[in-house]
């Protein structure tokens, strides 16, 4: 649930301005370049990588899990979109 996700984030001391939303549709409910972290817990949801990239803030990242919880992929904000990018590992 959304409330459980909020509590888990706060319990780990990883909070600040945190928004947890359920999503359904073609477009994520965020403005362009405003999200530091996107976590998708069910990769069977059909979401385009371009839509994820649209909402990621500079140096943001998306973490996508399979429905069973296995990590499927990690999508970093592209260095090509960061002004004067620093060398990234």
């Amino acid at each position: 649930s959304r409330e459980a996700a909020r509590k888990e984030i706060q319990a780990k001391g990883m909070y600040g301005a945190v928004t947890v939303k359920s999503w359904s549709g073609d477009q994520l409910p965020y403005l362009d370049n405003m999200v530091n972290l996107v976590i998708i817990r069910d990769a069977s949801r059909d979401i385009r990588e371009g839509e994820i990239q649209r909402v990621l803030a500079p140096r943001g990242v998306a973490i996508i899990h399979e429905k069973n919880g296995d990590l499927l992929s990690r999508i970093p904000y592209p260095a090509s979109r960061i002004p004067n990018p620093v060398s990234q590992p």
Side-chain angles (χ1 to χ4, degrees), residues 75-88:
I75 303 172
Y77 185 90
S80 63
R81 290 176 53 195
I82 299 173
N84 301 315
V86 175
S87 178
Q88 296 185 7

Side-chain angles (χ1 to χ4, degrees), residues 30-37 54-58:
Y30 303 105
L31 298 174
D32 295 1
N33 305 307
M34 294 297 291
V35 179
N36 291 311
L37 176 64
R54 179 187 70 77
V55 302
L56 284 179

Side-chain angles (χ1 to χ4, degrees), residues 5-68:
R6 282 188 191 101
K7 287 179 181 178
E8 182 177 343
I9 290 167
Q10 290 175 345
K12 292 182 178 184
M14 300 169 30
Y15 63 93
V18 175
T19 301
V20 178
K21 293 185 179 183
S22 295
W23 171 81
S24 63
D26 294 334
Q27 192 170 18
L28 292 169
Y30 303 105
L31 298 174
D32 295 1
N33 305 307
M34 294 297 291
V35 179
N36 291 311
L37 176 64
V38 173
I39 298 174
I40 299 173
R41 291 188 165 223
D42 181 357
S44 66
R45 298 237 151 169
D46 189 24
I47 182 167
R48 298 178 329 267
E49 184 174 331
E51 178 59 12
I52 294 169
Q53 294 286 2
R54 179 187 70 77
V55 302
L56 284 179
R59 303 195 199 308
V61 68
I63 298 175
I64 303 170
H65 293 269
E66 297 276 359
K67 192 170 189 171
N68 68 4

